[in-house]
Amino acid sequence: MSDIAPHGLHHVTAIASDPQRNVDFYTQVLGLRLVKRTVNFDAPGTYHLYYGDAQGTPSTLLTFFPWQGVPPGRQGSGLTTATAFSVPPESMGWWQRHLTGLGLEIDGPHTRDGEEVLTLRDPDGLVIDIVAAPGDTRSGWDGVARVPAEHAVRGLYSLTLSERLPEATAEMLGGLLGMRLQGENGDRARFAMADGGAGAVVDVAADSGPRGLQAGGTVHHIALRAPDQATQARWREELIDAGLRVTEILDRQYFTSIYFHEPGGVLLEIATDRPGFTVDEPLLELGRSLKLPPWLEPDRDQIAAALPKLRVDEPASSS
């Protein structure tokens, strides 16, 4: 029997187009902190931007590969089609006013699976849900004046995988990946990790429509939490023994990772909680400058010259 039991969501990585527009939306509109400005280690000609809480805690992270000129993708089966963040229940009215006041189109608030949800899209079309989440004790990031601390996003809440054959995906999540079925509602099934609270939920939705197209405004992959590299290595062997094609353990500087696909095609990652984002810059300076892993440092000048300049407004605490 498998002992794989992820602690929750680690991060979500999506595809964007214009990096400045991406930074402006996620730092100023959603009020997240840019905790790391680095590059795609496999394609260093583009940024890899990480957003989260004050220190980039696992389960708060949404990251992007912003490729200039990338064509728009298409939501559909075989993709992660919604990324949900949690906010305090009493903040939903504030978020509705905040988003509409900025001219954004929103759907809701509406009730789904017993939860109050606001749905919007980022500038590239990525679907974002804001969920009223009672009991989420994470503090979020209070460094943006236009998002008061009491209303700040607390972190990731859940993900939605759209699947043509949801039973196969459900079998992997509930079997090999150690999640438990928390509930079913129509064509949706909810799977929980750890205590099943905010940041530890995956929804599987049946989708008989066209297969999605991964490009701008879609999720590239999702990552689950492993407590340490020794556990990650043991889980990797279990996945291989179960017949999956799994990558080697890859050094992502701020965590180590393995990757594999679930039956419907979504790319999954298992990432370690450590060493974290302060391994190469102080907490108060996270995200302010371009950071590169040691093996890319010899090419810093060439890499930096090829990247567009980014402007990130200095934090201004609202508390």
Side-chain angles (χ1 to χ4, degrees):
M1 181 176 177
S2 172
D3 69 350
I4 299 174
H7 292 185
L9 303 173
H10 188 284
H11 67 268
V12 178
T13 295
I15 302 170
S17 54
D18 181 78
Q20 185 63 61
R21 186 174 66 172
N22 185 262
V23 166
D24 292 344
F25 181 84
Y26 284 97
T27 60
Q28 298 302 311
V29 176
L30 288 193
L32 304 180
R33 184 181 189 186
L34 179 64
V35 293
K36 193 62 60 177
R37 187 188 316 200
T38 184
V39 295
N40 182 331
F41 293 174
D42 302 315
T46 189
Y47 281 112
H48 192 177
L49 304 175
Y50 290 77
Y51 305 94
D53 68 359
Q55 57 188 2
T57 308
S59 87
T60 73
L61 296 165
L62 176 59
T63 93
F64 285 90
F65 302 138
W67 276 296
Q68 294 272 25
V70 67
R74 181 182 66 247
Q75 299 289 356
S77 62
L79 293 181
T80 301
T81 52
T83 300
F85 287 101
S86 67
V87 300
E90 59 273 17
S91 297
M92 290 297 280
W94 184 91
W95 276 98
Q96 185 177 18
R97 294 188 297 273
H98 170 67
L99 296 170
T100 56
L102 293 173
L104 296 173
E105 293 185 10
I106 60 173
D107 179 18
H110 55 272
T111 300
R112 186 177 66 210
D113 298 331
E115 298 167 339
E116 190 178 16
V117 181
L118 280 173
T119 300
L120 65 148
R121 290 177 180 261
D122 82 354
D124 288 294
L126 187 73
V127 177
I128 300 291
D129 287 336
I130 295 178
V131 178
D136 187 351
T137 59
R138 295 174 295 178
S139 60
W141 167 237
D142 67 352
V144 180
R146 67 171 62 181
V147 181
E150 63 269 25
H151 301 307
V153 166
R154 280 7 190 193
L156 293 172
Y157 181 80
S158 66
L159 304 175
T160 299
L161 312 186
S162 292
E163 303 287 0
R164 187 167 294 174
L165 298 173
E167 296 83 3
T169 299
E171 183 177 352
M172 173 181 275
L173 299 184
L176 187 57
L177 292 183
M179 302 183 195
R180 66 184 186 278
L181 180 63
Q182 196 173 56
E184 296 180 273
N185 186 1
D187 61 357
R188 295 173 66 91
R190 170 156 290 187
F191 291 85
M193 295 167 278
D195 63 2
V201 176
V202 176
D203 291 332
V204 177
D207 186 345
S208 59
R211 188 167 183 84
L213 174 65
Q214 191 176 74
T218 65
V219 171
H220 184 272
H221 65 269
I222 64 175
L224 310 176
R225 294 175 63 186
D228 51 54
Q229 192 171 337
T231 303
Q232 180 186 62
R234 188 174 71 248
W235 290 356
R236 177 177 180 272
E237 293 306 313
E238 289 193 27
L239 293 168
I240 292 172
D241 289 345
L244 296 183
R245 297 180 62 182
V246 187
T247 67
E248 297 293 328
I249 294 176
L250 301 175
D251 184 358
R252 297 313 194 190
Q253 185 74 351
Y254 313 109
F255 44 86
T256 60
S257 300
I258 58 173
Y259 300 86
F260 55 97
H261 287 89
E262 56 84 27
V266 175
L267 180 61
L268 304 182
E269 174 184 356
I270 294 178
T272 55
D273 283 356
R274 297 174 181 170
F277 293 100
T278 57
V279 69
D280 60 359
E281 60 185 336
L283 178 64
L284 295 180
E285 296 179 15
L286 290 179
R288 294 186 181 182
S289 60
L290 178 66
K291 309 305 292 187
L292 298 176
W295 59 92
L296 290 179
E297 275 295 345
D299 300 319
R300 170 175 284 274
D301 290 346
Q302 179 181 355
I303 290 171
L307 295 170
K309 302 298 182 185
L310 282 185
R311 182 191 70 257
V312 182
D313 291 344
E314 287 297 309
S317 179
S318 61
S319 56

